[in-house]
Amino acid sequence: MNRRLEDLLYAPIGLIAGASRFIPELAEHGRIQVANARVMGQMATRLGSDKIAGQLGGAVDRANALLIRAGLFPPAADETTDDAAGGVVEAHADTVGSDEPDPIARSDAPAADELAIVDYDSLAASQVVPRLMALKPDELEAVRRYEFANRARKTILGRVAQLQN
């Protein structure tokens, strides 16, 4: 009989006869492949989300700059914007009125990780201000108390006061 014909005839018989020995090995190989694929997928997702966050962060910063330039958001105390004539105009901070309560003691303020804004301490005032509009009243109050007790940035405190009224 021809060798190829014998292979076609006897291979299925050999597979059936040896299945009890090969199937556990094949199943284990499949488990390993699935675990590897899962790890690779998680890694790709993490890397992709970091890249997207970086790209969105830049877009958010540019949008905030445009909103500040248009006068829709107050500029941070340490930022500058270009005026229509092309010159640079120093930004000024919002002033918190003298009728504001005394600054809150650090012990009475919430912790940074309790705030509704993720990574609050790492954000500039210009990044915090646009996020304030999405907060609930109790979350806004927590930001106000935390900001008063810590950095006391007038831009943020002024915007919180506007939103609370």
Side-chain angles (χ1 to χ4, degrees), residues 14-62:
L15 183 62
I16 292 170
S20 62
R21 190 175 44 158
F22 294 121
I23 289 182
E25 291 176 23
L26 291 173
E28 183 60 26
H29 183 68
R31 280 188 204 94
I32 291 170
Q33 293 298 318
V34 168
N36 288 341
R38 182 178 295 130
V39 168
M40 295 298 284
Q42 290 171 343
M43 186 172 64
T45 301
R46 262 189 244 117
L47 291 173
S49 65
D50 290 347
K51 185 174 182 178
I52 288 171
Q55 290 173 347
L56 285 179
V60 168
D61 290 342
R62 287 189 298 278

mmCIF file of all heavy atoms in Angstrom, residues 14-62:
data_model
loop_
_atom_site.group_PDB
_atom_site.id
_atom_site.type_symbol
_atom_site.label_atom_id
_atom_site.label_comp_id
_atom_site.label_asym_id
_atom_site.label_seq_id
_atom_site.Cartn_x
_atom_site.Cartn_y
_atom_site.Cartn_z
ATOM 1 N N GLY A 14 -4.980 5.382 15.112
ATOM 2 C CA GLY A 14 -3.968 5.668 16.120
ATOM 3 C C GLY A 14 -4.387 6.824 17.014
ATOM 4 O O GLY A 14 -4.126 6.812 18.227
ATOM 5 N N LEU A 15 -5.045 7.818 16.448
ATOM 6 C CA LEU A 15 -5.515 8.959 17.228
ATOM 7 C C LEU A 15 -6.568 8.521 18.240
ATOM 8 O O LEU A 15 -6.524 8.902 19.402
ATOM 9 C CB LEU A 15 -6.084 10.043 16.298
ATOM 10 C CG LEU A 15 -6.559 11.323 16.957
ATOM 11 C CD1 LEU A 15 -5.410 12.019 17.671
ATOM 12 C CD2 LEU A 15 -7.180 12.249 15.939
ATOM 13 N N ILE A 16 -7.499 7.690 17.805
ATOM 14 C CA ILE A 16 -8.543 7.200 18.705
ATOM 15 C C ILE A 16 -7.929 6.336 19.802
ATOM 16 O O ILE A 16 -8.274 6.471 20.980
ATOM 17 C CB ILE A 16 -9.621 6.424 17.914
ATOM 18 C CG1 ILE A 16 -10.394 7.400 17.016
ATOM 19 C CG2 ILE A 16 -10.575 5.714 18.871
ATOM 20 C CD1 ILE A 16 -11.307 6.720 16.016
ATOM 21 N N ALA A 17 -7.011 5.496 19.436
ATOM 22 C CA ALA A 17 -6.385 4.602 20.415
ATOM 23 C C ALA A 17 -5.536 5.384 21.425
ATOM 24 O O ALA A 17 -5.486 5.025 22.605
ATOM 25 C CB ALA A 17 -5.523 3.561 19.704
ATOM 26 N N GLY A 18 -4.878 6.447 21.010
ATOM 27 C CA GLY A 18 -4.005 7.208 21.900
ATOM 28 C C GLY A 18 -4.648 8.442 22.488
ATOM 29 O O GLY A 18 -3.988 9.226 23.162
ATOM 30 N N ALA A 19 -5.958 8.641 22.258
ATOM 31 C CA ALA A 19 -6.643 9.854 22.714
ATOM 32 C C ALA A 19 -6.538 10.033 24.218
ATOM 33 O O ALA A 19 -6.368 11.152 24.705
ATOM 34 C CB ALA A 19 -8.104 9.828 22.282
ATOM 35 N N SER A 20 -6.641 8.976 24.977
ATOM 36 C CA SER A 20 -6.597 9.109 26.428
ATOM 37 C C SER A 20 -5.253 9.658 26.898
ATOM 38 O O SER A 20 -5.154 10.268 27.948
ATOM 39 C CB SER A 20 -6.885 7.760 27.090
ATOM 40 O OG SER A 20 -5.877 6.822 26.727
ATOM 41 N N ARG A 21 -4.226 9.453 26.108
ATOM 42 C CA ARG A 21 -2.901 9.941 26.462
ATOM 43 C C ARG A 21 -2.675 11.360 25.945
ATOM 44 O O ARG A 21 -2.055 12.175 26.614
ATOM 45 C CB ARG A 21 -1.862 8.993 25.851
ATOM 46 C CG ARG A 21 -0.471 9.229 26.320
ATOM 47 C CD ARG A 21 0.465 8.196 25.777
ATOM 48 N NE ARG A 21 0.164 7.976 24.359
ATOM 49 C CZ ARG A 21 1.010 7.477 23.478
ATOM 50 N NH1 ARG A 21 2.207 7.126 23.872
ATOM 51 N NH2 ARG A 21 0.682 7.317 22.230
ATOM 52 N N PHE A 22 -3.198 11.701 24.773
ATOM 53 C CA PHE A 22 -2.939 12.994 24.144
ATOM 54 C C PHE A 22 -3.894 14.105 24.597
ATOM 55 O O PHE A 22 -3.509 15.262 24.654
ATOM 56 C CB PHE A 22 -3.010 12.886 22.613
ATOM 57 C CG PHE A 22 -1.951 12.043 22.023
ATOM 58 C CD1 PHE A 22 -2.272 10.917 21.270
ATOM 59 C CD2 PHE A 22 -0.610 12.341 22.205
ATOM 60 C CE1 PHE A 22 -1.270 10.129 20.716
ATOM 61 C CE2 PHE A 22 0.381 11.571 21.658
ATOM 62 C CZ PHE A 22 0.046 10.450 20.913
ATOM 63 N N ILE A 23 -5.144 13.791 24.902
ATOM 64 C CA ILE A 23 -6.136 14.820 25.222
ATOM 65 C C ILE A 23 -5.736 15.636 26.454
ATOM 66 O O ILE A 23 -5.816 16.863 26.417
ATOM 67 C CB ILE A 23 -7.545 14.203 25.350
ATOM 68 C CG1 ILE A 23 -8.007 13.813 23.944
ATOM 69 C CG2 ILE A 23 -8.517 15.187 25.996
ATOM 70 C CD1 ILE A 23 -9.384 13.245 23.848
ATOM 71 N N PRO A 24 -5.296 15.036 27.553
ATOM 72 C CA PRO A 24 -4.872 15.879 28.681
ATOM 73 C C PRO A 24 -3.717 16.809 28.326
ATOM 74 O O PRO A 24 -3.683 17.961 28.773
ATOM 75 C CB PRO A 24 -4.453 14.864 29.752
ATOM 76 C CG PRO A 24 -5.187 13.616 29.414
ATOM 77 C CD PRO A 24 -5.285 13.619 27.921
ATOM 78 N N GLU A 25 -2.783 16.332 27.511
ATOM 79 C CA GLU A 25 -1.674 17.187 27.088
ATOM 80 C C GLU A 25 -2.171 18.340 26.229
ATOM 81 O O GLU A 25 -1.735 19.486 26.393
ATOM 82 C CB GLU A 25 -0.641 16.375 26.313
ATOM 83 C CG GLU A 25 0.127 15.381 27.153
ATOM 84 C CD GLU A 25 1.077 14.531 26.310
ATOM 85 O OE1 GLU A 25 1.464 14.972 25.208
ATOM 86 O OE2 GLU A 25 1.412 13.437 26.770
ATOM 87 N N LEU A 26 -3.100 18.048 25.323
ATOM 88 C CA LEU A 26 -3.663 19.090 24.465
ATOM 89 C C LEU A 26 -4.462 20.111 25.300
ATOM 90 O O LEU A 26 -4.398 21.313 25.043
ATOM 91 C CB LEU A 26 -4.548 18.479 23.378
ATOM 92 C CG LEU A 26 -3.824 17.680 22.299
ATOM 93 C CD1 LEU A 26 -4.832 16.983 21.398
ATOM 94 C CD2 LEU A 26 -2.921 18.588 21.484
ATOM 95 N N ALA A 27 -5.214 19.614 26.268
ATOM 96 C CA ALA A 27 -5.992 20.525 27.124
ATOM 97 C C ALA A 27 -5.060 21.443 27.913
ATOM 98 O O ALA A 27 -5.304 22.645 28.025
ATOM 99 C CB ALA A 27 -6.878 19.714 28.070
ATOM 100 N N GLU A 28 -3.989 20.893 28.473
ATOM 101 C CA GLU A 28 -3.027 21.717 29.220
ATOM 102 C C GLU A 28 -2.378 22.744 28.306
ATOM 103 O O GLU A 28 -2.201 23.907 28.678
ATOM 104 C CB GLU A 28 -1.968 20.826 29.883
ATOM 105 C CG GLU A 28 -0.974 21.591 30.726
ATOM 106 C CD GLU A 28 -1.601 22.368 31.869
ATOM 107 O OE1 GLU A 28 -2.689 21.984 32.350
ATOM 108 O OE2 GLU A 28 -1.015 23.386 32.272
ATOM 109 N N HIS A 29 -2.024 22.325 27.104
ATOM 110 C CA HIS A 29 -1.439 23.259 26.127
ATOM 111 C C HIS A 29 -2.439 24.377 25.814
ATOM 112 O O HIS A 29 -2.061 25.556 25.725
ATOM 113 C CB HIS A 29 -1.055 22.491 24.851
ATOM 114 C CG HIS A 29 -0.390 23.342 23.828
ATOM 115 N ND1 HIS A 29 0.868 23.869 24.006
ATOM 116 C CD2 HIS A 29 -0.827 23.780 22.615
ATOM 117 C CE1 HIS A 29 1.188 24.584 22.941
ATOM 118 N NE2 HIS A 29 0.169 24.550 22.079
ATOM 119 N N GLY A 30 -3.719 24.032 25.681
ATOM 120 C CA GLY A 30 -4.757 25.036 25.426
ATOM 121 C C GLY A 30 -4.894 26.004 26.592
ATOM 122 O O GLY A 30 -5.033 27.209 26.392
ATOM 123 N N ARG A 31 -4.854 25.495 27.841
ATOM 124 C CA ARG A 31 -4.930 26.360 29.022
ATOM 125 C C ARG A 31 -3.777 27.361 29.037
ATOM 126 O O ARG A 31 -3.957 28.538 29.351
ATOM 127 C CB ARG A 31 -4.893 25.520 30.303
ATOM 128 C CG ARG A 31 -6.195 24.898 30.668
ATOM 129 C CD ARG A 31 -6.117 24.240 32.055
ATOM 130 N NE ARG A 31 -7.116 23.213 32.143
ATOM 131 C CZ ARG A 31 -6.928 21.918 31.884
ATOM 132 N NH1 ARG A 31 -5.734 21.475 31.555
ATOM 133 N NH2 ARG A 31 -7.917 21.067 31.966
ATOM 134 N N ILE A 32 -2.596 26.893 28.732
ATOM 135 C CA ILE A 32 -1.419 27.766 28.711
ATOM 136 C C ILE A 32 -1.577 28.849 27.651
ATOM 137 O O ILE A 32 -1.281 30.027 27.892
ATOM 138 C CB ILE A 32 -0.130 26.934 28.491
ATOM 139 C CG1 ILE A 32 0.144 26.076 29.729
ATOM 140 C CG2 ILE A 32 1.057 27.839 28.183
ATOM 141 C CD1 ILE A 32 1.239 25.038 29.526
ATOM 142 N N GLN A 33 -2.068 28.463 26.488
ATOM 143 C CA GLN A 33 -2.258 29.440 25.407
ATOM 144 C C GLN A 33 -3.286 30.502 25.798
ATOM 145 O O GLN A 33 -3.088 31.693 25.540
ATOM 146 C CB GLN A 33 -2.693 28.732 24.112
ATOM 147 C CG GLN A 33 -1.627 27.841 23.511
ATOM 148 C CD GLN A 33 -0.397 28.634 23.110
ATOM 149 O OE1 GLN A 33 -0.485 29.721 22.561
ATOM 150 N NE2 GLN A 33 0.768 28.082 23.411
ATOM 151 N N VAL A 34 -4.374 30.084 26.440
ATOM 152 C CA VAL A 34 -5.401 31.034 26.863
ATOM 153 C C VAL A 34 -4.845 31.976 27.937
ATOM 154 O O VAL A 34 -5.085 33.187 27.898
ATOM 155 C CB VAL A 34 -6.663 30.288 27.375
ATOM 156 C CG1 VAL A 34 -7.615 31.238 28.094
ATOM 157 C CG2 VAL A 34 -7.367 29.605 26.215
ATOM 158 N N ALA A 35 -4.092 31.440 28.901
ATOM 159 C CA ALA A 35 -3.495 32.279 29.946
ATOM 160 C C ALA A 35 -2.532 33.295 29.334
ATOM 161 O O ALA A 35 -2.533 34.472 29.718
ATOM 162 C CB ALA A 35 -2.772 31.416 30.980
ATOM 163 N N ASN A 36 -1.717 32.864 28.390
ATOM 164 C CA ASN A 36 -0.790 33.783 27.722
ATOM 165 C C ASN A 36 -1.548 34.865 26.953
ATOM 166 O O ASN A 36 -1.163 36.040 26.982
ATOM 167 C CB ASN A 36 0.141 33.024 26.778
ATOM 168 C CG ASN A 36 1.166 32.201 27.512
ATOM 169 O OD1 ASN A 36 1.434 32.419 28.680
ATOM 170 N ND2 ASN A 36 1.750 31.218 26.820
ATOM 171 N N ALA A 37 -2.600 34.467 26.271
ATOM 172 C CA ALA A 37 -3.391 35.442 25.516
ATOM 173 C C ALA A 37 -4.032 36.454 26.460
ATOM 174 O O ALA A 37 -4.084 37.656 26.163
ATOM 175 C CB ALA A 37 -4.461 34.732 24.692
ATOM 176 N N ARG A 38 -4.508 36.003 27.621
ATOM 177 C CA ARG A 38 -5.123 36.898 28.597
ATOM 178 C C ARG A 38 -4.101 37.919 29.101
ATOM 179 O O ARG A 38 -4.379 39.113 29.181
ATOM 180 C CB ARG A 38 -5.680 36.100 29.771
ATOM 181 C CG ARG A 38 -6.385 36.990 30.790
ATOM 182 C CD ARG A 38 -6.991 36.200 31.951
ATOM 183 N NE ARG A 38 -8.039 35.336 31.464
ATOM 184 C CZ ARG A 38 -8.125 34.033 31.749
ATOM 185 N NH1 ARG A 38 -7.247 33.460 32.514
ATOM 186 N NH2 ARG A 38 -9.119 33.317 31.267
ATOM 187 N N VAL A 39 -2.908 37.460 29.446
ATOM 188 C CA VAL A 39 -1.860 38.361 29.937
ATOM 189 C C VAL A 39 -1.494 39.379 28.861
ATOM 190 O O VAL A 39 -1.357 40.577 29.136
ATOM 191 C CB VAL A 39 -0.620 37.563 30.392
ATOM 192 C CG1 VAL A 39 0.575 38.476 30.630
ATOM 193 C CG2 VAL A 39 -0.937 36.773 31.654
ATOM 194 N N MET A 40 -1.335 38.923 27.642
ATOM 195 C CA MET A 40 -0.996 39.838 26.543
ATOM 196 C C MET A 40 -2.116 40.854 26.312
ATOM 197 O O MET A 40 -1.846 42.032 26.075
ATOM 198 C CB MET A 40 -0.727 39.048 25.255
ATOM 199 C CG MET A 40 0.505 38.152 25.329
ATOM 200 S SD MET A 40 2.016 39.072 25.593
ATOM 201 C CE MET A 40 2.254 39.722 23.971
ATOM 202 N N GLY A 41 -3.364 40.413 26.406
ATOM 203 C CA GLY A 41 -4.490 41.325 26.235
ATOM 204 C C GLY A 41 -4.531 42.380 27.325
ATOM 205 O O GLY A 41 -4.785 43.554 27.063
ATOM 206 N N GLN A 42 -4.294 41.959 28.578
ATOM 207 C CA GLN A 42 -4.286 42.913 29.681
ATOM 208 C C GLN A 42 -3.155 43.925 29.513
ATOM 209 O O GLN A 42 -3.333 45.120 29.759
ATOM 210 C CB GLN A 42 -4.145 42.182 31.017
ATOM 211 C CG GLN A 42 -5.381 41.399 31.398
ATOM 212 C CD GLN A 42 -5.166 40.497 32.599
ATOM 213 O OE1 GLN A 42 -4.039 40.214 32.980
ATOM 214 N NE2 GLN A 42 -6.251 40.037 33.189
ATOM 215 N N MET A 43 -1.997 43.450 29.093
ATOM 216 C CA MET A 43 -0.866 44.348 28.902
ATOM 217 C C MET A 43 -1.159 45.344 27.774
ATOM 218 O O MET A 43 -0.900 46.537 27.904
ATOM 219 C CB MET A 43 0.403 43.542 28.571
ATOM 220 C CG MET A 43 1.648 44.401 28.498
ATOM 221 S SD MET A 43 3.168 43.461 28.329
ATOM 222 C CE MET A 43 2.950 42.687 26.752
ATOM 223 N N ALA A 44 -1.724 44.847 26.682
ATOM 224 C CA ALA A 44 -2.053 45.732 25.557
ATOM 225 C C ALA A 44 -3.100 46.763 25.977
ATOM 226 O O ALA A 44 -3.017 47.935 25.598
ATOM 227 C CB ALA A 44 -2.553 44.915 24.375
ATOM 228 N N THR A 45 -4.056 46.334 26.774
ATOM 229 C CA THR A 45 -5.087 47.259 27.248
ATOM 230 C C THR A 45 -4.487 48.346 28.117
ATOM 231 O O THR A 45 -4.814 49.525 27.972
ATOM 232 C CB THR A 45 -6.166 46.487 28.035
ATOM 233 O OG1 THR A 45 -6.739 45.501 27.182
ATOM 234 C CG2 THR A 45 -7.254 47.411 28.528
ATOM 235 N N ARG A 46 -3.599 47.950 29.048
ATOM 236 C CA ARG A 46 -2.951 48.939 29.911
ATOM 237 C C ARG A 46 -2.136 49.929 29.099
ATOM 238 O O ARG A 46 -2.211 51.137 29.313
ATOM 239 C CB ARG A 46 -2.062 48.245 30.935
ATOM 240 C CG ARG A 46 -2.744 48.088 32.269
ATOM 241 C CD ARG A 46 -1.772 47.595 33.327
ATOM 242 N NE ARG A 46 -2.255 46.272 33.732
ATOM 243 C CZ ARG A 46 -1.603 45.143 33.569
ATOM 244 N NH1 ARG A 46 -0.403 45.123 33.082
ATOM 245 N NH2 ARG A 46 -2.143 44.004 33.927
ATOM 246 N N LEU A 47 -1.326 49.423 28.187
ATOM 247 C CA LEU A 47 -0.490 50.309 27.377
ATOM 248 C C LEU A 47 -1.345 51.232 26.517
ATOM 249 O O LEU A 47 -1.060 52.414 26.382
ATOM 250 C CB LEU A 47 0.460 49.495 26.503
ATOM 251 C CG LEU A 47 1.574 48.744 27.245
ATOM 252 C CD1 LEU A 47 2.338 47.852 26.277
ATOM 253 C CD2 LEU A 47 2.509 49.709 27.924
ATOM 254 N N GLY A 48 -2.405 50.668 25.943
ATOM 255 C CA GLY A 48 -3.291 51.465 25.105
ATOM 256 C C GLY A 48 -4.022 52.531 25.893
ATOM 257 O O GLY A 48 -4.154 53.670 25.445
ATOM 258 N N SER A 49 -4.499 52.178 27.094
ATOM 259 C CA SER A 49 -5.224 53.165 27.888
ATOM 260 C C SER A 49 -4.290 54.276 28.361
ATOM 261 O O SER A 49 -4.692 55.432 28.432
ATOM 262 C CB SER A 49 -5.928 52.504 29.076
ATOM 263 O OG SER A 49 -4.994 51.971 29.971
ATOM 264 N N ASP A 50 -3.035 53.934 28.679
ATOM 265 C CA ASP A 50 -2.067 54.971 29.059
ATOM 266 C C ASP A 50 -1.815 55.922 27.888
ATOM 267 O O ASP A 50 -1.744 57.136 28.065
ATOM 268 C CB ASP A 50 -0.743 54.354 29.502
ATOM 269 C CG ASP A 50 -0.844 53.640 30.840
ATOM 270 O OD1 ASP A 50 -1.865 53.826 31.544
ATOM 271 O OD2 ASP A 50 0.089 52.894 31.169
ATOM 272 N N LYS A 51 -1.690 55.356 26.704
ATOM 273 C CA LYS A 51 -1.444 56.182 25.518
ATOM 274 C C LYS A 51 -2.649 57.081 25.232
ATOM 275 O O LYS A 51 -2.496 58.269 24.955
ATOM 276 C CB LYS A 51 -1.142 55.292 24.316
ATOM 277 C CG LYS A 51 -0.751 56.056 23.086
ATOM 278 C CD LYS A 51 -0.322 55.132 21.968
ATOM 279 C CE LYS A 51 0.113 55.928 20.751
ATOM 280 N NZ LYS A 51 0.575 55.066 19.674
ATOM 281 N N ILE A 52 -3.845 56.522 25.331
ATOM 282 C CA ILE A 52 -5.056 57.306 25.091
ATOM 283 C C ILE A 52 -5.195 58.399 26.141
ATOM 284 O O ILE A 52 -5.533 59.532 25.828
ATOM 285 C CB ILE A 52 -6.301 56.389 25.075
ATOM 286 C CG1 ILE A 52 -6.294 55.549 23.798
ATOM 287 C CG2 ILE A 52 -7.585 57.192 25.170
ATOM 288 C CD1 ILE A 52 -7.342 54.466 23.768
ATOM 289 N N ALA A 53 -4.924 58.057 27.393
ATOM 290 C CA ALA A 53 -5.014 59.057 28.460
ATOM 291 C C ALA A 53 -4.046 60.203 28.194
ATOM 292 O O ALA A 53 -4.382 61.371 28.405
ATOM 293 C CB ALA A 53 -4.726 58.417 29.815
ATOM 294 N N GLY A 54 -2.840 59.878 27.727
ATOM 295 C CA GLY A 54 -1.875 60.917 27.402
ATOM 296 C C GLY A 54 -2.360 61.806 26.268
ATOM 297 O O GLY A 54 -2.231 63.028 26.321
ATOM 298 N N GLN A 55 -2.941 61.192 25.255
ATOM 299 C CA GLN A 55 -3.443 61.972 24.127
ATOM 300 C C GLN A 55 -4.649 62.806 24.536
ATOM 301 O O GLN A 55 -4.775 63.958 24.156
ATOM 302 C CB GLN A 55 -3.793 61.050 22.971
ATOM 303 C CG GLN A 55 -2.581 60.429 22.319
ATOM 304 C CD GLN A 55 -2.938 59.391 21.277
ATOM 305 O OE1 GLN A 55 -4.068 58.947 21.177
ATOM 306 N NE2 GLN A 55 -1.954 58.982 20.502
ATOM 307 N N LEU A 56 -5.546 62.224 25.337
ATOM 308 C CA LEU A 56 -6.716 62.972 25.780
ATOM 309 C C LEU A 56 -6.320 64.089 26.732
ATOM 310 O O LEU A 56 -6.924 65.156 26.719
ATOM 311 C CB LEU A 56 -7.718 62.037 26.460
ATOM 312 C CG LEU A 56 -8.520 61.137 25.539
ATOM 313 C CD1 LEU A 56 -9.449 60.247 26.344
ATOM 314 C CD2 LEU A 56 -9.304 61.938 24.531
ATOM 315 N N GLY A 57 -5.317 63.824 27.566
ATOM 316 C CA GLY A 57 -4.857 64.859 28.487
ATOM 317 C C GLY A 57 -4.401 66.093 27.734
ATOM 318 O O GLY A 57 -4.721 67.216 28.109
ATOM 319 N N GLY A 58 -3.667 65.888 26.660
ATOM 320 C CA GLY A 58 -3.227 67.015 25.844
ATOM 321 C C GLY A 58 -4.399 67.735 25.211
ATOM 322 O O GLY A 58 -4.429 68.967 25.159
ATOM 323 N N ALA A 59 -5.381 66.974 24.745
ATOM 324 C CA ALA A 59 -6.561 67.582 24.133
ATOM 325 C C ALA A 59 -7.362 68.364 25.167
ATOM 326 O O ALA A 59 -7.854 69.458 24.896
ATOM 327 C CB ALA A 59 -7.435 66.506 23.488
ATOM 328 N N VAL A 60 -7.480 67.815 26.366
ATOM 329 C CA VAL A 60 -8.200 68.503 27.437
ATOM 330 C C VAL A 60 -7.484 69.799 27.801
ATOM 331 O O VAL A 60 -8.120 70.837 27.980
ATOM 332 C CB VAL A 60 -8.354 67.578 28.672
ATOM 333 C CG1 VAL A 60 -8.838 68.351 29.884
ATOM 334 C CG2 VAL A 60 -9.302 66.437 28.357
ATOM 335 N N ASP A 61 -6.160 69.744 27.899
ATOM 336 C CA ASP A 61 -5.401 70.953 28.212
ATOM 337 C C ASP A 61 -5.591 72.026 27.143
ATOM 338 O O ASP A 61 -5.758 73.204 27.448
ATOM 339 C CB ASP A 61 -3.921 70.641 28.374
ATOM 340 C CG ASP A 61 -3.635 69.843 29.640
ATOM 341 O OD1 ASP A 61 -4.501 69.818 30.541
ATOM 342 O OD2 ASP A 61 -2.547 69.244 29.708
ATOM 343 N N ARG A 62 -5.581 71.608 25.869
ATOM 344 C CA ARG A 62 -5.791 72.571 24.781
ATOM 345 C C ARG A 62 -7.207 73.154 24.828
ATOM 346 O O ARG A 62 -7.396 74.350 24.635
ATOM 347 C CB ARG A 62 -5.517 71.919 23.432
ATOM 348 C CG ARG A 62 -4.026 71.676 23.183
ATOM 349 C CD ARG A 62 -3.732 71.238 21.754
ATOM 350 N NE ARG A 62 -4.356 69.979 21.387
ATOM 351 C CZ ARG A 62 -3.870 68.768 21.678
ATOM 352 N NH1 ARG A 62 -2.739 68.657 22.324
ATOM 353 N NH2 ARG A 62 -4.498 67.678 21.297
#
